[in-house]
Every structure is written in structure tokens, then in C-alpha cells.
């Protein structure tokens, strides 16, 4: 099964990325996730169940420690085995 993670961290700062946003980017770009897309108002990444679950735990721990006051996330199944997935 393959999953897609979508998330944002708050508070927002339109002038420069806050520390928690930089940390979130480090987590998704430094792990085993792929199809990573980091933007100012939302971020997405894809991977296996294990990779996404591991990334979510790391994302929550590190962004909250870096000053995030809210982390919103959604996880969706992209495809499952037998449905064109691996």
C-alpha cells in the first residue's frame, strides 16, 4: 500500500519560514519518502505505510519542539496492492 501525507504547520509567517517549517521540510526531504512537494501553504509526500507512519511521528516530535503550535495533517491511500500498486 502507498500513502500520501499532506500537512501544514502553524503559526504562519509570510516574511520568512519559521523554524518549525524548516524542520518539517528537513523531515520529509531527509527520510525515505518520495514525491515530496514543499510549499508555503501546504506540503505533500508519498511513501510506504512504514515510511509515512515513521515520518509523521518524527514530524510531530520535531516541529512541536521547534515551536509549532498546530500541525494539521491528512493521510490518504494512493493505491493498494492489487490496484495497480506495488
Amino acid at each position: 500500500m502507498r500513502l500520501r501525507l499532506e500537512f501544514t504547520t502553524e503559526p504562519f509567517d509570510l516574511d520568512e519560514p519559521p523554524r518549525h517549517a524548516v524542520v518539517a521540510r528537513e523531515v520529509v526531504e531527509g527520510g525515505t519518502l518520495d514525491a515530496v512537494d514543499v510549499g508555503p501553504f501546504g506540503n505533500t509526500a508519498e511513501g510506504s505505510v512504514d515510511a509515512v507512519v515513521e515520518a509523521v511521528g518524527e514530524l510531530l516530535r520535531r516541529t512541536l519542539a521547534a515551536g509549532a503550535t498546530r500541525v494539521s495533517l491528512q493521510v490518504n491511500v494512493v493505491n493498494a496492492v492489487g490496484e495497480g500498486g506495488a
Side-chain angles (χ1 to χ4, degrees), residues 38-65:
V38 177
F41 300 108
N43 310 283
T44 61
E46 295 181 10
S48 68
V49 171
D50 289 340
V52 170
V53 169
E54 182 179 319
V56 166
E58 186 74 6
L59 180 75
L60 291 172
R61 281 189 292 279
R62 291 187 56 197
T63 59
L64 293 170

PDB file of all heavy atoms in Angstrom, residues 38-65:
ATOM      1  N   VAL A  38       7.151  20.656  -1.240  1.00  0.00           N
ATOM      2  CA  VAL A  38       7.094  21.565  -0.098  1.00  0.00           C
ATOM      3  C   VAL A  38       6.727  22.952  -0.607  1.00  0.00           C
ATOM      4  O   VAL A  38       7.356  23.471  -1.525  1.00  0.00           O
ATOM      5  CB  VAL A  38       8.460  21.597   0.631  1.00  0.00           C
ATOM      6  CG1 VAL A  38       8.437  22.588   1.775  1.00  0.00           C
ATOM      7  CG2 VAL A  38       8.835  20.215   1.120  1.00  0.00           C
ATOM      8  N   GLY A  39       5.694  23.530  -0.020  1.00  0.00           N
ATOM      9  CA  GLY A  39       5.251  24.859  -0.437  1.00  0.00           C
ATOM     10  C   GLY A  39       4.919  25.724   0.760  1.00  0.00           C
ATOM     11  O   GLY A  39       4.894  25.250   1.899  1.00  0.00           O
ATOM     12  N   PRO A  40       4.615  26.989   0.534  1.00  0.00           N
ATOM     13  CA  PRO A  40       4.351  27.907   1.646  1.00  0.00           C
ATOM     14  C   PRO A  40       3.042  27.643   2.390  1.00  0.00           C
ATOM     15  O   PRO A  40       2.906  28.011   3.550  1.00  0.00           O
ATOM     16  CB  PRO A  40       4.336  29.284   0.980  1.00  0.00           C
ATOM     17  CG  PRO A  40       3.996  29.015  -0.444  1.00  0.00           C
ATOM     18  CD  PRO A  40       4.567  27.655  -0.755  1.00  0.00           C
ATOM     19  N   PHE A  41       2.080  27.003   1.730  1.00  0.00           N
ATOM     20  CA  PHE A  41       0.779  26.795   2.367  1.00  0.00           C
ATOM     21  C   PHE A  41       0.396  25.333   2.515  1.00  0.00           C
ATOM     22  O   PHE A  41      -0.700  25.018   2.962  1.00  0.00           O
ATOM     23  CB  PHE A  41      -0.306  27.536   1.590  1.00  0.00           C
ATOM     24  CG  PHE A  41      -0.057  29.008   1.526  1.00  0.00           C
ATOM     25  CD1 PHE A  41       0.346  29.601   0.350  1.00  0.00           C
ATOM     26  CD2 PHE A  41      -0.183  29.795   2.659  1.00  0.00           C
ATOM     27  CE1 PHE A  41       0.598  30.965   0.287  1.00  0.00           C
ATOM     28  CE2 PHE A  41       0.071  31.157   2.614  1.00  0.00           C
ATOM     29  CZ  PHE A  41       0.465  31.746   1.426  1.00  0.00           C
ATOM     30  N   GLY A  42       1.271  24.434   2.163  1.00  0.00           N
ATOM     31  CA  GLY A  42       0.989  23.018   2.305  1.00  0.00           C
ATOM     32  C   GLY A  42       2.115  22.186   1.743  1.00  0.00           C
ATOM     33  O   GLY A  42       2.892  22.659   0.907  1.00  0.00           O
ATOM     34  N   ASN A  43       2.223  20.984   2.223  1.00  0.00           N
ATOM     35  CA  ASN A  43       3.301  20.091   1.849  1.00  0.00           C
ATOM     36  C   ASN A  43       2.735  18.705   1.615  1.00  0.00           C
ATOM     37  O   ASN A  43       1.798  18.295   2.305  1.00  0.00           O
ATOM     38  CB  ASN A  43       4.323  20.013   2.992  1.00  0.00           C
ATOM     39  CG  ASN A  43       4.733  21.388   3.473  1.00  0.00           C
ATOM     40  OD1 ASN A  43       5.504  22.062   2.842  1.00  0.00           O
ATOM     41  ND2 ASN A  43       4.167  21.821   4.597  1.00  0.00           N
ATOM     42  N   THR A  44       3.312  17.990   0.652  1.00  0.00           N
ATOM     43  CA  THR A  44       2.887  16.622   0.407  1.00  0.00           C
ATOM     44  C   THR A  44       4.109  15.737   0.214  1.00  0.00           C
ATOM     45  O   THR A  44       5.180  16.205  -0.171  1.00  0.00           O
ATOM     46  CB  THR A  44       1.993  16.499  -0.846  1.00  0.00           C
ATOM     47  OG1 THR A  44       2.729  16.934  -1.987  1.00  0.00           O
ATOM     48  CG2 THR A  44       0.723  17.304  -0.709  1.00  0.00           C
ATOM     49  N   ALA A  45       3.929  14.478   0.505  1.00  0.00           N
ATOM     50  CA  ALA A  45       4.959  13.467   0.270  1.00  0.00           C
ATOM     51  C   ALA A  45       4.252  12.124   0.202  1.00  0.00           C
ATOM     52  O   ALA A  45       3.163  11.948   0.747  1.00  0.00           O
ATOM     53  CB  ALA A  45       5.995  13.468   1.384  1.00  0.00           C
ATOM     54  N   GLU A  46       4.888  11.180  -0.465  1.00  0.00           N
ATOM     55  CA  GLU A  46       4.320   9.840  -0.599  1.00  0.00           C
ATOM     56  C   GLU A  46       5.341   8.805  -0.184  1.00  0.00           C
ATOM     57  O   GLU A  46       6.543   9.065  -0.209  1.00  0.00           O
ATOM     58  CB  GLU A  46       3.885   9.581  -2.044  1.00  0.00           C
ATOM     59  CG  GLU A  46       2.756  10.464  -2.487  1.00  0.00           C
ATOM     60  CD  GLU A  46       2.314  10.185  -3.912  1.00  0.00           C
ATOM     61  OE1 GLU A  46       2.758   9.174  -4.503  1.00  0.00           O
ATOM     62  OE2 GLU A  46       1.521  10.969  -4.441  1.00  0.00           O
ATOM     63  N   GLY A  47       4.829   7.634   0.179  1.00  0.00           N
ATOM     64  CA  GLY A  47       5.708   6.536   0.524  1.00  0.00           C
ATOM     65  C   GLY A  47       4.931   5.334   1.009  1.00  0.00           C
ATOM     66  O   GLY A  47       3.696   5.318   1.004  1.00  0.00           O
ATOM     67  N   SER A  48       5.679   4.342   1.451  1.00  0.00           N
ATOM     68  CA  SER A  48       5.064   3.140   2.007  1.00  0.00           C
ATOM     69  C   SER A  48       4.398   3.471   3.337  1.00  0.00           C
ATOM     70  O   SER A  48       4.645   4.539   3.924  1.00  0.00           O
ATOM     71  CB  SER A  48       6.136   2.070   2.228  1.00  0.00           C
ATOM     72  OG  SER A  48       7.019   2.489   3.268  1.00  0.00           O
ATOM     73  N   VAL A  49       3.580   2.552   3.816  1.00  0.00           N
ATOM     74  CA  VAL A  49       2.920   2.747   5.111  1.00  0.00           C
ATOM     75  C   VAL A  49       3.966   3.008   6.193  1.00  0.00           C
ATOM     76  O   VAL A  49       3.851   3.974   6.965  1.00  0.00           O
ATOM     77  CB  VAL A  49       2.050   1.529   5.482  1.00  0.00           C
ATOM     78  CG1 VAL A  49       1.538   1.637   6.906  1.00  0.00           C
ATOM     79  CG2 VAL A  49       0.902   1.370   4.503  1.00  0.00           C
ATOM     80  N   ASP A  50       4.994   2.172   6.260  1.00  0.00           N
ATOM     81  CA  ASP A  50       6.012   2.335   7.295  1.00  0.00           C
ATOM     82  C   ASP A  50       6.724   3.679   7.182  1.00  0.00           C
ATOM     83  O   ASP A  50       6.968   4.346   8.190  1.00  0.00           O
ATOM     84  CB  ASP A  50       7.033   1.198   7.228  1.00  0.00           C
ATOM     85  CG  ASP A  50       6.451  -0.131   7.685  1.00  0.00           C
ATOM     86  OD1 ASP A  50       5.417  -0.131   8.390  1.00  0.00           O
ATOM     87  OD2 ASP A  50       7.030  -1.174   7.332  1.00  0.00           O
ATOM     88  N   ALA A  51       7.066   4.091   5.965  1.00  0.00           N
ATOM     89  CA  ALA A  51       7.775   5.358   5.771  1.00  0.00           C
ATOM     90  C   ALA A  51       6.914   6.543   6.192  1.00  0.00           C
ATOM     91  O   ALA A  51       7.404   7.468   6.850  1.00  0.00           O
ATOM     92  CB  ALA A  51       8.209   5.498   4.314  1.00  0.00           C
ATOM     93  N   VAL A  52       5.629   6.530   5.851  1.00  0.00           N
ATOM     94  CA  VAL A  52       4.745   7.637   6.205  1.00  0.00           C
ATOM     95  C   VAL A  52       4.492   7.674   7.704  1.00  0.00           C
ATOM     96  O   VAL A  52       4.557   8.742   8.328  1.00  0.00           O
ATOM     97  CB  VAL A  52       3.426   7.577   5.401  1.00  0.00           C
ATOM     98  CG1 VAL A  52       2.414   8.587   5.935  1.00  0.00           C
ATOM     99  CG2 VAL A  52       3.700   7.811   3.922  1.00  0.00           C
ATOM    100  N   VAL A  53       4.232   6.532   8.305  1.00  0.00           N
ATOM    101  CA  VAL A  53       3.990   6.497   9.755  1.00  0.00           C
ATOM    102  C   VAL A  53       5.229   6.972  10.516  1.00  0.00           C
ATOM    103  O   VAL A  53       5.129   7.762  11.460  1.00  0.00           O
ATOM    104  CB  VAL A  53       3.545   5.089  10.206  1.00  0.00           C
ATOM    105  CG1 VAL A  53       3.545   4.967  11.718  1.00  0.00           C
ATOM    106  CG2 VAL A  53       2.162   4.771   9.642  1.00  0.00           C
ATOM    107  N   GLU A  54       6.394   6.531  10.096  1.00  0.00           N
ATOM    108  CA  GLU A  54       7.639   6.978  10.726  1.00  0.00           C
ATOM    109  C   GLU A  54       7.822   8.485  10.546  1.00  0.00           C
ATOM    110  O   GLU A  54       8.176   9.196  11.491  1.00  0.00           O
ATOM    111  CB  GLU A  54       8.827   6.238  10.115  1.00  0.00           C
ATOM    112  CG  GLU A  54      10.148   6.609  10.742  1.00  0.00           C
ATOM    113  CD  GLU A  54      11.301   5.826  10.132  1.00  0.00           C
ATOM    114  OE1 GLU A  54      11.150   4.619   9.884  1.00  0.00           O
ATOM    115  OE2 GLU A  54      12.363   6.441   9.914  1.00  0.00           O
ATOM    116  N   ALA A  55       7.554   8.990   9.355  1.00  0.00           N
ATOM    117  CA  ALA A  55       7.703  10.422   9.089  1.00  0.00           C
ATOM    118  C   ALA A  55       6.727  11.251   9.915  1.00  0.00           C
ATOM    119  O   ALA A  55       7.085  12.316  10.417  1.00  0.00           O
ATOM    120  CB  ALA A  55       7.509  10.702   7.602  1.00  0.00           C
ATOM    121  N   VAL A  56       5.493  10.779  10.080  1.00  0.00           N
ATOM    122  CA  VAL A  56       4.500  11.515  10.868  1.00  0.00           C
ATOM    123  C   VAL A  56       4.964  11.645  12.319  1.00  0.00           C
ATOM    124  O   VAL A  56       4.895  12.729  12.904  1.00  0.00           O
ATOM    125  CB  VAL A  56       3.104  10.852  10.787  1.00  0.00           C
ATOM    126  CG1 VAL A  56       2.171  11.398  11.857  1.00  0.00           C
ATOM    127  CG2 VAL A  56       2.512  11.048   9.402  1.00  0.00           C
ATOM    128  N   GLY A  57       5.462  10.568  12.902  1.00  0.00           N
ATOM    129  CA  GLY A  57       5.958  10.632  14.270  1.00  0.00           C
ATOM    130  C   GLY A  57       7.111  11.615  14.408  1.00  0.00           C
ATOM    131  O   GLY A  57       7.131  12.447  15.320  1.00  0.00           O
ATOM    132  N   GLU A  58       8.050  11.535  13.489  1.00  0.00           N
ATOM    133  CA  GLU A  58       9.203  12.439  13.504  1.00  0.00           C
ATOM    134  C   GLU A  58       8.766  13.878  13.249  1.00  0.00           C
ATOM    135  O   GLU A  58       9.248  14.809  13.903  1.00  0.00           O
ATOM    136  CB  GLU A  58      10.211  11.986  12.439  1.00  0.00           C
ATOM    137  CG  GLU A  58      11.501  12.742  12.462  1.00  0.00           C
ATOM    138  CD  GLU A  58      12.411  12.385  13.627  1.00  0.00           C
ATOM    139  OE1 GLU A  58      12.104  11.448  14.383  1.00  0.00           O
ATOM    140  OE2 GLU A  58      13.433  13.079  13.785  1.00  0.00           O
ATOM    141  N   LEU A  59       7.858  14.054  12.329  1.00  0.00           N
ATOM    142  CA  LEU A  59       7.345  15.378  12.012  1.00  0.00           C
ATOM    143  C   LEU A  59       6.696  16.022  13.236  1.00  0.00           C
ATOM    144  O   LEU A  59       6.979  17.180  13.560  1.00  0.00           O
ATOM    145  CB  LEU A  59       6.329  15.257  10.873  1.00  0.00           C
ATOM    146  CG  LEU A  59       5.675  16.537  10.386  1.00  0.00           C
ATOM    147  CD1 LEU A  59       6.657  17.343   9.556  1.00  0.00           C
ATOM    148  CD2 LEU A  59       4.446  16.207   9.562  1.00  0.00           C
ATOM    149  N   LEU A  60       5.863  15.288  13.932  1.00  0.00           N
ATOM    150  CA  LEU A  60       5.204  15.827  15.123  1.00  0.00           C
ATOM    151  C   LEU A  60       6.209  16.156  16.229  1.00  0.00           C
ATOM    152  O   LEU A  60       6.180  17.247  16.800  1.00  0.00           O
ATOM    153  CB  LEU A  60       4.147  14.844  15.637  1.00  0.00           C
ATOM    154  CG  LEU A  60       2.922  14.673  14.753  1.00  0.00           C
ATOM    155  CD1 LEU A  60       2.051  13.536  15.273  1.00  0.00           C
ATOM    156  CD2 LEU A  60       2.131  15.969  14.653  1.00  0.00           C
ATOM    157  N   ARG A  61       7.094  15.222  16.516  1.00  0.00           N
ATOM    158  CA  ARG A  61       8.084  15.465  17.571  1.00  0.00           C
ATOM    159  C   ARG A  61       8.934  16.697  17.283  1.00  0.00           C
ATOM    160  O   ARG A  61       9.091  17.577  18.131  1.00  0.00           O
ATOM    161  CB  ARG A  61       8.992  14.249  17.746  1.00  0.00           C
ATOM    162  CG  ARG A  61       8.386  13.120  18.551  1.00  0.00           C
ATOM    163  CD  ARG A  61       9.415  12.032  18.863  1.00  0.00           C
ATOM    164  NE  ARG A  61       9.822  11.304  17.657  1.00  0.00           N
ATOM    165  CZ  ARG A  61       9.133  10.316  17.103  1.00  0.00           C
ATOM    166  NH1 ARG A  61       7.991   9.932  17.636  1.00  0.00           N
ATOM    167  NH2 ARG A  61       9.578   9.701  16.029  1.00  0.00           N
ATOM    168  N   ARG A  62       9.473  16.755  16.090  1.00  0.00           N
ATOM    169  CA  ARG A  62      10.439  17.811  15.771  1.00  0.00           C
ATOM    170  C   ARG A  62       9.798  19.177  15.540  1.00  0.00           C
ATOM    171  O   ARG A  62      10.346  20.195  15.945  1.00  0.00           O
ATOM    172  CB  ARG A  62      11.288  17.397  14.581  1.00  0.00           C
ATOM    173  CG  ARG A  62      12.221  16.237  14.958  1.00  0.00           C
ATOM    174  CD  ARG A  62      13.205  15.879  13.891  1.00  0.00           C
ATOM    175  NE  ARG A  62      14.004  17.028  13.491  1.00  0.00           N
ATOM    176  CZ  ARG A  62      14.706  17.086  12.370  1.00  0.00           C
ATOM    177  NH1 ARG A  62      14.703  16.060  11.540  1.00  0.00           N
ATOM    178  NH2 ARG A  62      15.406  18.165  12.063  1.00  0.00           N
ATOM    179  N   THR A  63       8.648  19.234  14.873  1.00  0.00           N
ATOM    180  CA  THR A  63       8.040  20.541  14.619  1.00  0.00           C
ATOM    181  C   THR A  63       7.464  21.150  15.896  1.00  0.00           C
ATOM    182  O   THR A  63       7.579  22.358  16.103  1.00  0.00           O
ATOM    183  CB  THR A  63       6.949  20.475  13.527  1.00  0.00           C
ATOM    184  OG1 THR A  63       5.926  19.557  13.914  1.00  0.00           O
ATOM    185  CG2 THR A  63       7.541  20.101  12.187  1.00  0.00           C
ATOM    186  N   LEU A  64       6.882  20.332  16.753  1.00  0.00           N
ATOM    187  CA  LEU A  64       6.383  20.865  18.029  1.00  0.00           C
ATOM    188  C   LEU A  64       7.538  21.369  18.892  1.00  0.00           C
ATOM    189  O   LEU A  64       7.434  22.428  19.511  1.00  0.00           O
ATOM    190  CB  LEU A  64       5.551  19.811  18.757  1.00  0.00           C
ATOM    191  CG  LEU A  64       4.236  19.446  18.063  1.00  0.00           C
ATOM    192  CD1 LEU A  64       3.601  18.220  18.721  1.00  0.00           C
ATOM    193  CD2 LEU A  64       3.275  20.614  18.028  1.00  0.00           C
ATOM    194  N   ALA A  65       8.639  20.642  18.905  1.00  0.00           N
ATOM    195  CA  ALA A  65       9.821  21.082  19.657  1.00  0.00           C
ATOM    196  C   ALA A  65      10.409  22.371  19.073  1.00  0.00           C
ATOM    197  O   ALA A  65      11.029  23.154  19.799  1.00  0.00           O
ATOM    198  CB  ALA A  65      10.874  19.980  19.669  1.00  0.00           C
TER     199      ALA A  65
END
